[in-house]
């Protein structure tokens, strides 16, 4: 195994490794804190071991013990985004191979970036508060002192005390519940995760009012979720057995910052995918795929994030191929390439954060996050698929890779070495791949895949009609233009328009008149449509864009919408004012990044 060095972690990765966590939490909704006690079972990796360092951020540490004996501890200098190292000195010395149980009593901060506390007004039911956590990539340290790195995987057991009218869920198997013996108004929920996971995944728990969650979200999503079991079985046929015991899906409040999160046993999804046209399918297929690439086989550090996301996109699109058609997989590849182009454009083609394997030394992982590891990673795997003999042949490698590295973590170098081993009869072809161009060079990949354009041709043709249309030809557009496009094609049509110069205002108004796009519920379509309108300086679209930016908090939508309005100079101040008014309802990470987007001081 490659020696562990993680620029995003302070923890003692070469000295020790956490094997199990036992966690007790008391959730205080009044103070917005978690009162915690964690027992880490730590395996020693060196002789004469007497101290260790854990990651922490904004935690109050009250007491530390080792095997029941009091241990000295100190919080080191606070780093601007990595937090403070928790340095623990044991009252004894241990040898390699021994284990120690380090127990820590502590409390989180009300501003813990892993947690979002919602008031009753911010929920669908309007009666009870709501809390959810989002730890990826390095926010778990704001919830518990730990080795907050994907290179360390462990099992866990947890007990969570919440008010009795609420329900607790975790990314684990449920292990019963009981009244809290210390407070009759509370209930303790128990959870166990027997499969080793990283800190990014194992603490994604939340508390929600069961009735309104089911009534407001699950019923609405019933049609969208109907193919989940088929997707799971298809994924198993591609990647091997599903090891996590259960697969549940939970629709979160609108402020959830991502499309989905692949928490083991319990996938989180944004409510923006509920559009009544199976738009959720791609999100669920992606998160299901993470059960193998991400959860079972994990990138060793966040610099190798593409190993999680590139392979997951690849399997997701293989599921689409099996359940729908190869043409759909090709079409999704075309759309992904355009999203990669936009992401590279936003960063700048020379920005090293567009490398497939970036250097994250002194880089905040939140600011580095983008679609690059997803789509540049997929493009590489698709390119290799073409070189190695097609989808069936290359999926054989992916399945074998998963089996080899299951339950562990992996680096790009280890992945590449196994690729050469698996395809030992095609090493001469692999040697011709521009590995440096793919892995360590910023900008777009050195090779553009050649996709089947069958499904994309209609989108391209309609886009070009609008781009080239003279004023006097606008009457030729009719509702029938878009009636023959399915939702993915309509999204692609919008994405193509966004790559062109802004349309004249007259064209955008005509498009609304004939297509009635303001009434489309699909968030992916609406998001792109409103950007097109604002780019064309249609003032009536500004309040609609700001409304969408604030009524949900998915970063994919919220950040570009705010930026688009901000770039419309007449409404820059309005964008800033609206953000400040709604900042409290956004996830802390989303708010932090919008502050940078809108160039707000402080």
């Amino acid at each position: 195994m490659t020696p562990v060095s993680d620029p995003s972690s302070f923890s003692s990765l070469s000295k020790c490794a956490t094997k199990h966590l036992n966690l007790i939490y008391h959730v205080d909704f009044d103070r917005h804190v978690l009162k915690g006690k964690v027992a880490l079972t730590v395996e020693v990796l060196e002789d004469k071991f007497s101290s260790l360092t854990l990651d922490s951020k904004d935690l109050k540490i009250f007491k530390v013990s080792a095997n029941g004996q009091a241990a000295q501890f100190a919080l080191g200098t606070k780093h601007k985004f990595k937090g403070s190292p928790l340095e623990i000195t044991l009252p004894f010395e241990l040898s390699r191979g021994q284990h120690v149980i380090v127990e820590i009593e502590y409390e989180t901060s009300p501003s813990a970036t892993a947690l979002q506390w919602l008031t009753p007004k911010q929920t669908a039911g309007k009666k009870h508060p709501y809390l959810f956590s989002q730890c990826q990539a390095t926010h778990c340290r704001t919830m518990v002192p730990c080795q907050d790195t994907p290179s360390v995987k462990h099992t866990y057991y947890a007990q969570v005390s919440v008010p009795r009218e609420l329900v607790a869920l975790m990314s684990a198997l449920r292990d019963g519940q009981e009244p809290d013996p210390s407070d009759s108004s509370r209930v303790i929920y128990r959870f166990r995760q027997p499969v080793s996971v990283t800190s990014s995944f194992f603490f994604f728990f939340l508390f929600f009012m069961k009735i309104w969650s089911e009534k407001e979200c699950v019923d609405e999503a019933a049609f969208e979720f109907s193919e989940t079991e088929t997707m799971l079985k298809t994924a198993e046929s591609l990647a091997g057995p599903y090891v996590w015991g259960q697969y549940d899906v939970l629709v979160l409040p609108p402020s959830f910052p991502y499309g989905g999160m692949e928490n083991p046993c319990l996938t989180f999804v944004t409510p923006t995918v509920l559009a009544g046209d199976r738009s959720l399918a791609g999100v669920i297929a992606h998160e299901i795929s993470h059960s193998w690439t991400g959860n079972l086989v994990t990138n060793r550090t966040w610099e190798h994030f593409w190993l999680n996301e590139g392979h997951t996109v690849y399997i997701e699109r293989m599921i689409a191929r099996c359940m729908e058609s190869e043409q759909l997989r090709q079409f999704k590849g075309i759309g992904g390439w355009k999203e990669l182009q936009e992401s590279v454009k936003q960063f700048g083609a020379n920005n090293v954060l567009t490398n497939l394997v970036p250097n994250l030394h002194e880089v905040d992982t939140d600011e580095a996050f983008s679609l690059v590891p997803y789509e540049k990673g997929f493009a590489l795997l698709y390119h290799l698929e073409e070189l190695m003999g097609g989808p069936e042949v290359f999926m054989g490698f992916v399945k074998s890779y998963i089996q080899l590295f299951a339950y562990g973590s992996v680096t790009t170098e280890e992945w590449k070495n196994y690729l050469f081993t698996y395809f030992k009869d095609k090493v001469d072809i692999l040697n011709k791949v521009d590995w440096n161009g793919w892995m360590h060079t910023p900008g777009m990949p050195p090779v553009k895949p050649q996709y089947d354009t069958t499904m994309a041709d209609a989108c391209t043709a309609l886009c070009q009609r609008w781009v080239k249309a003279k004023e006097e030809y606008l009457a030729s557009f009719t509702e029938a233009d878009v009636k023959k496009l399915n939702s993915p094609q309509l999204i692609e049509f919008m994405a193509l328009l966004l790559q062109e110069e802004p349309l004249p205002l007259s064209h955008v108004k005509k498009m609304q008149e004939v297509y009635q796009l303001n009434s489309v519920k699909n968030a992916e379509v609406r998001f792109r449509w409103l950007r097109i309108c604002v780019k064309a300086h249609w003032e009536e679209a500004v309040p609609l864009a700001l409304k969408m930016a604030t009524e949900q908090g998915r970063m994919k939508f919220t950040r570009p919408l705010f930026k688009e309005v901000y770039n419309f100079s007449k409404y820059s101040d309005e964008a800033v004012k609206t953000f400040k008014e709604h900042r409290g309802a956004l996830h802390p990470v989303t708010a932090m990044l919008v502050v940078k987007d809108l160039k707000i001081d402080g």
Side-chain angles (χ1 to χ4, degrees), residues 374-386:
Y374 295 73
E375 295 298 347
K376 201 171 190 177
F378 171 80
L380 171 60
L381 296 177
Y382 183 82
H383 176 57
L384 292 172
E385 171 196 299
E386 290 185 306

Side-chain angles (χ1 to χ4, degrees), residues 122-185:
Q122 292 172 302
T123 69
K126 310 298 182 187
K127 293 181 180 179
H128 300 283
Y130 193 118
L131 166 67
F132 70 87
S133 68
Q134 171 61 38
C135 294
Q136 189 172 293
T138 57
H139 297 286
C140 192
R141 64 195 67 179
T142 70
M143 291 178 58
V144 61
C146 61
Q147 291 183 296
D148 195 5
T149 169
S151 65
V152 174
K153 304 179 87 169
H154 47 74
T155 55
Y156 75 88
Y157 194 88
Q159 303 174 60
V160 186
S161 172
V162 299
R164 63 185 178 187
E165 64 270 20
L166 302 181
V167 174
L169 291 178
M170 288 188 79
S171 54
L173 302 174
R174 292 181 287 279
D175 198 40
Q177 65 188 74
E178 63 184 18
D180 189 331
S182 64
D183 188 340
S184 60
S185 69

Side-chain angles (χ1 to χ4, degrees), residues 141-286:
R141 64 195 67 179
T142 70
M143 291 178 58
V144 61
C146 61
Q147 291 183 296
D148 195 5
T149 169
S151 65
V152 174
K153 304 179 87 169
H154 47 74
T155 55
Y156 75 88
Y157 194 88
Q159 303 174 60
V160 186
S161 172
V162 299
R164 63 185 178 187
E165 64 270 20
L166 302 181
V167 174
L169 291 178
M170 288 188 79
S171 54
L173 302 174
R174 292 181 287 279
D175 198 40
Q177 65 188 74
E178 63 184 18
D180 189 331
S182 64
D183 188 340
S184 60
S185 69
R186 302 177 71 87
V187 176
I188 292 176
Y189 288 85
R190 301 179 185 275
F191 305 91
R192 60 184 175 88
Q193 180 50 272
V195 181
S196 294
V197 296
T198 74
S199 58
S200 302
F201 302 134
F202 85 116
F203 275 113
F204 294 92
F205 62 81
L206 62 143
F207 311 93
F208 71 106
M209 174 57 180
K210 187 176 182 181
I211 296 173
W212 71 254
S213 177
E214 291 180 352
K215 178 182 177 182
E216 301 296 332
C217 296
V218 179
D219 286 349
E220 184 183 357
F223 176 70
E224 300 271 12
F225 286 121
S226 63
E227 293 187 338
T228 299
E229 186 175 353
T230 303
M231 287 182 192
L232 191 55
K233 289 179 178 178
T234 302
E236 283 193 291
S237 71
L238 292 166
Y242 179 79
V243 304
W244 302 98
Q246 69 186 45
Y247 187 83
D248 293 343
V249 179
L250 185 80
V251 180
L252 269 79
S255 60
F256 184 59
Y258 301 106
M261 187 62 224
E262 64 274 15
N263 308 319
C265 307
L266 182 68
T267 283
F268 285 14
V269 295
T270 168
T272 64
V273 295
L274 301 180
D277 58 3
R278 298 207 189 281
S279 61
L280 182 57
V283 174
I284 293 298
H286 184 88

Side-chain angles (χ1 to χ4, degrees), residues 309-359:
E309 297 301 347
H311 286 83
T312 297
V313 173
Y314 185 83
I315 297 174
E316 167 203 338
R317 289 174 183 165
M318 285 295 288
I319 293 174
R321 178 179 189 263
C322 294
M323 291 181 62
E324 297 287 344
S325 68
E326 173 64 13
Q327 281 189 353
L328 178 60
R329 185 176 83 114
Q330 298 280 321
F331 181 70
K332 286 177 175 287
I334 293 171
W337 185 265
K338 288 185 177 61
E339 290 192 318
L340 176 59
Q341 287 177 314
E342 183 163 350
S343 193
V344 168
K345 182 180 178 181
Q346 288 172 355
F347 272 110
N350 295 319
N351 192 319
V352 293
L353 292 181
T354 63
N355 287 8
L356 195 57
V357 185
N359 182 340

Side-chain angles (χ1 to χ4, degrees), residues 287-557:
E287 305 311 332
I288 282 175
S289 301
H290 267 307
S291 301
W292 289 268
T293 47
N295 295 2
L296 189 59
V297 180
T298 310
N299 48 238
R300 180 125 347 124
T301 73
W302 297 111
E303 294 172 312
H304 304 281
F305 190 43
W306 84 270
L307 291 171
N308 278 21
E309 297 301 347
H311 286 83
T312 297
V313 173
Y314 185 83
I315 297 174
E316 167 203 338
R317 289 174 183 165
M318 285 295 288
I319 293 174
R321 178 179 189 263
C322 294
M323 291 181 62
E324 297 287 344
S325 68
E326 173 64 13
Q327 281 189 353
L328 178 60
R329 185 176 83 114
Q330 298 280 321
F331 181 70
K332 286 177 175 287
I334 293 171
W337 185 265
K338 288 185 177 61
E339 290 192 318
L340 176 59
Q341 287 177 314
E342 183 163 350
S343 193
V344 168
K345 182 180 178 181
Q346 288 172 355
F347 272 110
N350 295 319
N351 192 319
V352 293
L353 292 181
T354 63
N355 287 8
L356 195 57
V357 185
N359 182 340
L360 296 183
H361 180 70
E362 289 301 314
V363 175
D364 187 341
T365 52
D366 289 327
E367 295 185 29
F369 180 82
S370 74
L371 284 172
V372 170
Y374 295 73
E375 295 298 347
K376 201 171 190 177
F378 171 80
L380 171 60
L381 296 177
Y382 183 82
H383 176 57
L384 292 172
E385 171 196 299
E386 290 185 306
L387 295 177
M388 295 297 100
E392 288 83 2
V393 172
F394 197 73
M395 192 64 222
F397 160 72
V398 173
K399 184 175 183 178
S400 180
Y401 156 76
I402 291 168
Q403 291 171 337
L404 180 65
F405 293 102
Y407 304 103
S409 59
V410 64
T411 65
T412 299
E413 182 182 10
E414 290 168 332
W415 168 87
K416 184 182 171 185
N417 288 340
Y418 185 60
L419 177 74
F420 274 71
T421 299
Y422 185 88
F423 290 112
K424 57 182 179 292
D425 57 335
K426 298 177 181 177
V427 169
D428 56 331
I429 300 174
L430 290 172
N431 279 330
K432 293 177 183 176
V433 173
D434 183 2
W435 293 107
N436 185 64
W438 278 101
M439 301 290 184
H440 307 293
T441 305
M444 295 299 289
V447 177
K448 180 179 180 179
Q450 297 302 307
Y451 296 114
D452 181 340
T453 63
T454 302
M455 288 184 65
D457 288 341
C459 313
T460 304
L462 184 57
C463 171
Q464 289 305 307
R465 275 186 64 199
W466 278 100
V467 169
K468 296 175 180 178
K470 303 293 184 183
E471 203 85 30
E472 59 269 25
Y473 294 120
L474 292 182
S476 67
F477 293 99
T478 67
E479 185 182 9
D481 300 334
V482 294
K483 286 295 183 184
K484 56 192 176 188
L485 302 181
N486 58 28
S487 288
Q489 287 176 307
L490 187 55
I491 292 168
E492 174 66 6
F493 163 59
M494 296 288 171
L496 287 167
L497 284 175
L498 281 170
Q499 288 196 320
E500 300 285 346
E501 290 297 313
L503 289 173
L505 182 55
S506 58
H507 288 49
V508 174
K509 288 183 175 181
K510 184 64 177 181
M511 196 177 291
Q512 165 58 20
E513 179 187 328
V514 294
Y515 299 160
Q516 294 297 304
L517 292 166
N518 283 344
S519 61
V520 173
K521 292 182 179 180
N522 184 306
E524 296 280 359
V525 175
R526 185 170 180 78
F527 155 67
R528 290 169 174 82
W529 164 240
L530 290 175
R531 288 186 62 197
I532 290 168
C533 293
V534 176
K535 277 181 178 291
H537 289 182
W538 192 4
E539 296 189 41
E540 290 179 22
V542 170
L544 297 177
L546 291 175
K547 182 175 185 291
M548 185 175 184
T550 54
E551 67 186 3
Q552 54 75 51
R554 186 177 174 186
M555 283 196 284
K556 177 181 181 179
F557 300 149

